[in-house]
């Protein structure tokens, strides 16, 4: 699966399936809940609270210090369900390893407008 944001359908030359970012009255913002919904195939309303200041809890005692507010990796994701090896690459801070459940995730790591480099996560 390839998810591309910010590209119009006229500019994207490969075969594609366009999908809505809403369910009924609810429209997802381009953020964690939308990615969780795509990755799990289940409607995810407010699964990741907007405006959560996870950085206040970031220290050496936190089990998943680079995963925002998540205290565990979500289950039922596309990476977890896929039988082969999976990899996710992205530029949405900690989205790739927490939302996709891929075996390997490579992502930029930026928090609070501070670029902190790239991060690689190996799950399995």
């Amino acid at each position: 699966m390839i998810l591309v944001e910010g590209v119009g359908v006229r500019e994207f030359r490969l075969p594609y399936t366009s999908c809505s970012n809403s369910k009924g009255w609810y429209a997802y913002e381009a953020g964690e809940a939308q990615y969780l919904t795509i990755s799990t195939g289940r409607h995810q309303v407010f699964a990741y609270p907007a405006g959560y200041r996870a950085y206040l809890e970031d220290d050496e005692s936190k089990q998943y210090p680079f995963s925002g507010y998540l205290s565990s990796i979500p289950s039922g994701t596309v990476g977890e369900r896929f039988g082969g090896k999976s990899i996710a690459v992205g530029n949405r801070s900690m989205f790739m390893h927490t939302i996709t459940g891929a075996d390997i995730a490579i992502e930029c790591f930026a928090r609070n407008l501070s670029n902190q480099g790239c991060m690689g996560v190996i799950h399995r």
Side-chain angles (χ1 to χ4, degrees):
M1 174 174 63
I2 299 172
L3 178 64
V4 180
E5 293 179 288
V7 175
V9 293
R10 281 185 261 159
E11 290 83 24
F12 195 73
R13 305 275 185 223
L14 299 174
Y16 65 89
T17 300
S18 182
C19 61
S20 173
N21 71 334
S22 61
K23 181 176 179 173
W25 65 270
Y26 184 81
Y28 288 97
E29 291 184 18
E32 297 88 347
Q34 178 177 323
Y35 277 77
L36 267 173
T37 298
I38 292 167
S39 181
T40 63
R42 293 186 314 269
H43 189 45
Q44 301 278 343
V45 179
F46 309 120
Y48 191 108
Y52 187 80
R53 298 187 310 170
Y55 60 88
L56 295 176
E57 301 169 4
D58 287 349
D59 63 25
E60 66 277 356
S61 65
K62 186 175 179 184
Q63 186 175 5
Y64 294 95
F66 302 116
S67 302
Y69 101 101
L70 297 171
S71 58
S72 64
I73 302 301
S75 62
T77 59
V78 67
E80 182 183 66
R81 292 189 319 262
F82 180 65
K85 294 292 181 191
S86 58
I87 186 167
V89 178
N91 64 349
R92 298 293 301 264
S93 188
M94 52 56 167
F95 275 17
M96 292 302 107
H97 80 278
T98 58
I99 303 303
T100 64
D103 295 309
I104 299 171
I106 307 295
E107 52 202 318
C108 76
F109 184 63
R111 289 271 172 81
N112 308 312
L113 302 177
S114 299
N115 183 359
Q116 299 171 340
C118 289
M119 177 171 69
V121 177
I122 300 173
H123 282 293
R124 295 177 282 284

